[in-house]
Amino acid sequence: MANERTDTKGKPGSTVKVTLVKSTTGFKDNQEVVARGLGLRKLNSSVELKDTPAIRGMIHKIRHLVEVK
């Protein structure tokens, strides 16, 4: 699930739900910064974000740590 493509175009104004399912500990520091930038603070925390190319790029960078719905 974590490696699903996130670059498919959604409807205008659509959102994407992102859940942190794996800890950022042990990975590069910039991946923790990206998770924080998405609003993911603790393990199993979820946020609903606008489906934009910038957000999709951030999700792609930490796709091994998150689940996208």
Side-chain angles (χ1 to χ4, degrees):
M1 293 283 173
N3 292 328
E4 289 181 3
R5 290 183 60 120
T6 57
D7 61 350
T8 56
K9 293 185 179 181
K11 299 174 190 171
S14 64
T15 60
V16 61
K17 186 176 181 180
V18 184
T19 305
L20 186 64
V21 295
K22 192 168 186 180
S23 174
T24 57
T25 304
F27 293 96
K28 292 185 179 179
D29 291 338
N30 63 337
Q31 293 177 4
E32 182 177 357
V33 171
V34 171
R36 292 280 175 153
L38 288 172
L40 301 169
R41 303 286 186 235
K42 297 180 179 181
L43 199 58
N44 295 318
S45 63
S46 296
V47 290
E48 197 161 325
L49 303 163
K50 290 182 184 177
D51 190 12
T52 64
I55 295 297
R56 284 188 242 130
M58 293 173 78
I59 292 170
H60 182 76
K61 193 164 187 113
I62 60 168
R63 65 188 179 274
H64 56 286
L65 303 174
V66 297
E67 183 178 288
V68 180
K69 294 181 182 177

